[in-house]
């Protein structure tokens, strides 16, 4: 019928079973985190409510915030004097650091045709401070805005940023609305 099993073999089998179950559950959690399910909810910023207060950069539990500036190219006017790129009252139109809005140099400016330039965001340099988005929304057409990058977000149950957001722009949304976009 059944053969006797010694204690050492029994403990080895139990350890293998526990390790196997851990690998399977960690793989499942990673897949769920990456792809989500229809009923899952994620933290997102409503672009119509955001006031660009700067708290996304300073209050995220991560060292560098999971919030990044997004550029809605369809809305952009490809301005020469971009309110999200240059500080206000700039004396000379150049790309000197003292004239740029972005403290990390995450905005890249590329010539399109006279007098138009295309602005792109280097997300690896962006810290989510919102200075460029605030300038773009104050003096431009609002093509720059902030959004939570899901591949960076820990998706905390109680997001620290949402607790301090003065406009209530950070809310939980379902997977089908995970990237609220700003469009023209």
């Amino acid at each position: 019928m059944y053969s006797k099993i010694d204690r050492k073999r029994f403990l080895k089998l139990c350890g293998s079973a526990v390790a196997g179950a851990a690998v399977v559950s960690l793989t499942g959690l990673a897949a769920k985190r990456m792809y989500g399910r229809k009923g899952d909810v994620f933290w997102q910023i409503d672009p119509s409510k955001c006031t660009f207060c700067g708290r996304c950069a300073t209050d995220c539990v991560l060292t560098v915030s999971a919030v990044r500036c997004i550029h809605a190219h369809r809305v952009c006017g490809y301005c020469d004097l971009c309110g999200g790129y240059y500080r206000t009252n700039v004396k000379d139109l150049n790309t000197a650091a003292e004239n740029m809005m972005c403290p990390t140099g995450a905005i890249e400016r590329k010539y399109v045709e006279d007098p138009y330039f295309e602005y792109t965001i280097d997300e690896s340099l962006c810290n989510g401070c919102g200075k460029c988005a605030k300038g773009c929304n104050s003096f431009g057409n609002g093509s720059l805005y902030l959004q939570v990058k899901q591949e960076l977000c820990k998706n905390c149950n109680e997001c620290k940023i949402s607790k301090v957001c003065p406009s209530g722009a950070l809310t939980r949304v379902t997977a089908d609305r995970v990237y609220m976009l700003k469009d023209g």
Side-chain angles (χ1 to χ4, degrees), residues 7-64:
R7 182 176 185 214
K8 186 177 180 180
R9 176 130 170 89
F10 174 75
L11 291 174
K12 188 176 179 182
L13 286 171
C14 288
S16 296
V18 168
V23 167
V24 168
S25 59
L26 286 175
T27 304
L29 286 172
K32 180 181 174 191
R33 178 158 166 70
M34 279 182 74
Y35 304 110
R37 287 182 290 193
K38 192 173 182 178
D40 288 345
V41 288
F42 302 92
W43 289 106
Q44 286 296 275
I45 298 172
D46 185 338
S48 64
K49 291 181 180 177
C50 183
T51 60
F52 316 106
C53 65
R55 292 188 175 145
C56 289
T58 58
D59 286 291
C60 186
V61 296
L62 300 172
T63 306
V64 178

